[in-house]
Amino acid sequence: MANTGLCVQMRPISLMAVVLASSVLVGAHGESMNMTGTLPDDAPFYKWPDEPMGWALKVHLVLCFIAYVVILPVGLVMEMAGHQYQWLAQLSGAGVAFLGIVFGWVHGHLGNVYARYGWFMLSLLVQQTATNLGLTLGAVPRNKKLQLFYRMVGALQLVYTYVGMLLGGIRFLNLCSQGHLGQCVSHFARGSALIIGAVCILVCMRVFGAVIVELRRPLELYLSIIMMLVGAIGTFTEHNFFQTSNTDSWSHKDLQHTLIGVSWFAGGLLGVLMTCRSHPRSRNPIPSLIFIATGIAMITHQQDLVMASHTHFLFGAALVCLGLSTIAEITLLAAGFVKDHDQPALFQFVPVFFMCASGMFLMGSNRDMVLFLINSHIDVATYALILLSFCFVIMFYFYVLVDLYFALAGPQSAKYRTLEQHMDRQSTSSQTSTLNHSESHSSLASAAFV
C-alpha cells in the first residue's frame, strides 16, 4: 500500500518533468535554423579540423580508452573489494596506458596543453603502479593508511582521466584559444563540478543506502557550503568589482551573473545555518530553491546569439528540473517511504541525472562551443540529445562499476553497511588472500623439497 501511495504522489511530479523536458526540446527546435544573428570576427575559426586524424593518434585514443576507462577502473573496484588478483588488472592497465602514451608521442604536437598533461598522467601512473607492487610483493608494510592513500590515488585518477578527456576535446576542436580562456574555464569548471557531484551522490547512495547516513549531516549542508564558496567567487569575478575608473560599464550579463553569485552566497549561508546540526534524514529545500531560481534566470537570460540563448535555456531548464525533483525526493524521505539503510528508491536517481545534465549543458553553453555548433550547422535539439546521451552513458558506467563491486565484495546483504564495516571487510579479505598466497607458496616449496 505504501508503494501504491508513493506512485500516486509521484505521478504529477513525473508528468510535470516530462512536460518540462518536452517543452525544452520543442522550444529549442522551434527556431533551430535561426541560430546565427551577428557573428563575431573570430567565428570561422571554430569548426571541425580540416586535417584528418592520423593513425598514431587513433591508436593512442583507443589504447588510452581501454586502459583508463576499462582496465584501471576495474582494478580500482577490485582493490576496494579486496580481490586477490587486483594487481594483475593494475599491471595490465599500466602497460596498455604506457603504450598509448608512446603512440601519443609518435603522433607529435607535444607543445600543447593536452600533451603536457600526459606527463602528469604518466607520473601518476608510475606512482600508483609502484605502490601497488610494493603492497602486493610485501616490500612495503601493509597498513590502512597506505591502502587508503592508494585507493584515493586510484579514485582521483578517474577525475584526472575525465580532465584529460576534456583537454583532448578542447585541443581537437580548438576551443578556449581566442582570448576567451576565462569564460571557457568558468563554464567547464562549474559544469564539471556538477557532473562529479552527481557521480559521487550516485555511488554513495548505492553503497551506503538511500539516506547516506555516513555523511553525518544532510546532503544539503555540503551543497550549501559549495554554493556559498562558488557564490563568493562569482560575486567578485563576473565583473571588475574593484575597478578604479568609471569607463568600465556594467552590462546586463555582468549584472545578472553577479547577482546570481550574491544569491548563491546568501542562500548557501542560510542552508549551512539550517543544516549544520541536523540529522542526515532532515533534508533541506534551500539548495533546491537556489537551483530553481538560477534556472529561471538562465531560461530568461538573453545572449547576443540566438544559439547561445537556446543553450542557456537548456541549462536553466535542467536546473529547474533538478530543483523540483530534489524537493520531491526530500518529500519522499520525510514521509518515511525509505529507511536509512534501504536500497535507494528509483526516483532518487532522477535528481542525480538532472544534476549531471545541468553540468553537461553548462559546459556546452560556452561561447566557443556555440560558435562551433553554428559553423557545423547543428541545431539545439540535436545538441541537447547528444549531451543527454553522454549523461546516460556516465550514469550507466558508474552504475556498472558499483554492481561489479557488489559482485566481488560479497552477497547482496553486504551492500548497505557503514564505512567502518566496509574497511574491516576489505582488510579481512586482504589478509585472507595474503594467507592463502603464503600457504600456496609453502605447499609448492614442500613439494619441491620432496
Side-chain angles (χ1 to χ4, degrees):
M1 295 299 295
N3 293 332
T4 304
L6 176 61
C7 294
V8 172
Q9 292 183 12
M10 292 305 166
R11 281 175 184 172
I13 300 173
S14 302
L15 181 60
M16 178 178 57
V18 171
V19 171
L20 183 57
S22 301
S23 65
V24 169
L25 294 179
V26 172
H29 190 66
E31 299 182 8
S32 60
M33 299 310 296
N34 184 19
M35 299 181 297
T36 56
T38 303
L39 294 179
D41 296 334
D42 59 341
F45 182 80
Y46 303 102
K47 61 181 181 178
W48 194 263
D50 296 328
E51 299 181 0
M53 187 183 300
W55 66 270
L57 182 58
K58 293 180 181 179
V59 176
H60 161 75
L61 294 177
V62 171
L63 292 178
C64 287
F65 179 85
I66 294 174
Y68 285 105
V69 180
V70 180
I71 303 178
L72 289 176
V74 170
L76 174 63
V77 172
M78 295 173 68
E79 166 64 24
M80 299 297 291
H83 199 275
Q84 59 180 341
Y85 294 111
Q86 182 273 338
W87 59 272
L88 184 60
Q90 175 67 42
L91 289 181
S92 302
V96 175
F98 180 75
L99 191 60
I101 293 174
V102 170
F103 275 98
W105 293 336
V106 172
H107 174 70
H109 303 285
L110 302 179
N112 55 68
V113 178
Y114 176 70
R116 293 172 181 172
Y117 187 77
W119 289 102
F120 169 74
M121 293 295 292
L122 180 61
S123 62
L124 183 68
L125 183 66
V126 171
Q127 178 184 5
Q128 185 182 11
T129 307
T131 306
N132 180 268
L133 287 178
L135 290 172
T136 303
L137 299 177
V140 179
R142 182 178 291 271
N143 56 71
K144 286 188 176 182
K145 292 184 179 180
L146 189 58
Q147 281 185 311
L148 181 61
F149 170 75
Y150 173 73
R151 291 167 182 171
M152 289 180 60
V153 171
L156 288 175
Q157 192 178 56
L158 293 174
V159 180
Y160 298 144
T161 301
Y162 166 77
V163 174
M165 290 180 177
L166 284 184
L167 292 177
I170 291 172
R171 174 65 183 87
F172 184 73
L173 299 178
N174 293 322
L175 304 177
C176 310
S177 57
Q178 297 296 306
H180 306 99
L181 181 62
Q183 193 254 14
C184 197
V185 170
S186 175
H187 277 257
F188 278 103
R190 290 184 289 182
S192 299
L194 287 171
I195 295 174
I196 294 173
V199 169
C200 292
I201 295 174
L202 171 66
V203 173
C204 288
M205 277 198 313
R206 295 213 60 209
V207 173
F208 298 122
V211 184
I212 318 180
V213 182
E214 278 66 23
L215 291 179
R216 303 181 186 278
R217 292 293 182 268
L219 180 63
E220 282 71 24
L221 172 63
Y222 305 97
L223 291 177
S224 298
I225 293 175
I226 296 174
M227 285 181 167
M228 187 173 61
L229 296 177
V230 172
I233 296 173
T235 300
F236 297 103
T237 57
E238 291 293 346
H239 185 81
N240 187 13
F241 188 82
F242 301 101
Q243 58 183 357
T244 56
S245 63
N246 296 324
T247 58
D248 192 6
S249 60
W250 286 68
S251 65
H252 78 281
K253 291 193 294 184
D254 292 334
L255 187 60
Q256 287 179 6
H257 285 94
T258 302
L259 289 178
I260 287 176
V262 173
S263 65
W264 276 51
F265 177 79
L269 188 62
L270 176 62
V272 170
L273 182 63
M274 294 177 67
T275 57
C276 61
R277 298 180 180 179
S278 301
H279 187 270
R281 180 175 283 278
S282 302
R283 304 284 296 272
N284 191 280
I286 294 300
S288 302
L289 297 178
I290 297 175
F291 285 137
I292 294 174
T294 306
I296 295 175
M298 288 295 103
I299 288 175
T300 59
H301 187 56
Q302 297 299 318
Q303 298 284 320
D304 53 350
L305 297 174
V306 178
M307 183 67 163
S309 299
H310 283 335
T311 55
H312 281 76
F313 178 85
L314 292 174
F315 170 55
L319 281 180
V320 172
C321 292
L322 169 61
L324 293 176
S325 58
T326 305
I327 291 177
E329 181 194 6
I330 293 173
T331 305
L332 180 146
L333 293 177
F337 286 102
V338 181
K339 303 303 180 183
D340 287 353
H341 289 282
D342 279 356
Q343 182 178 359
L346 293 179
F347 189 78
Q348 289 186 268
F349 295 104
V350 177
V352 176
F353 173 78
F354 280 121
M355 180 177 288
C356 183
S358 60
M360 196 70 69
F361 287 140
L362 177 57
M363 289 194 301
S365 61
N366 71 84
R367 178 183 179 277
D368 296 354
M369 195 65 202
V370 168
L371 294 175
F372 173 80
L373 295 175
I374 294 174
N375 291 327
S376 302
H377 302 287
I378 300 175
D379 69 329
V380 187
T382 304
Y383 188 48
L385 293 174
I386 292 173
L387 296 182
L388 289 176
S389 300
F390 285 150
C391 295
F392 282 117
V393 169
I394 291 173
M395 292 191 65
F396 169 79
Y397 176 73
F398 285 96
Y399 201 94
V400 169
L401 287 183
V402 176
D403 274 346
L404 178 62
Y405 169 75
F406 289 153
L408 296 176
Q412 294 294 318
S413 59
K415 277 189 179 183
Y416 308 107
R417 58 175 79 240
T418 62
L419 182 61
E420 291 80 5
Q421 289 173 326
H422 271 279
M423 296 296 293
D424 293 340
R425 179 180 178 82
Q426 292 155 9
S427 301
T428 304
S429 45
S430 299
Q431 294 173 2
T432 304
S433 61
T434 304
L435 181 60
N436 294 336
H437 189 65
S438 60
E439 289 178 353
S440 62
H441 274 288
S442 301
S443 60
L444 289 175
S446 300
F449 179 76
V450 173

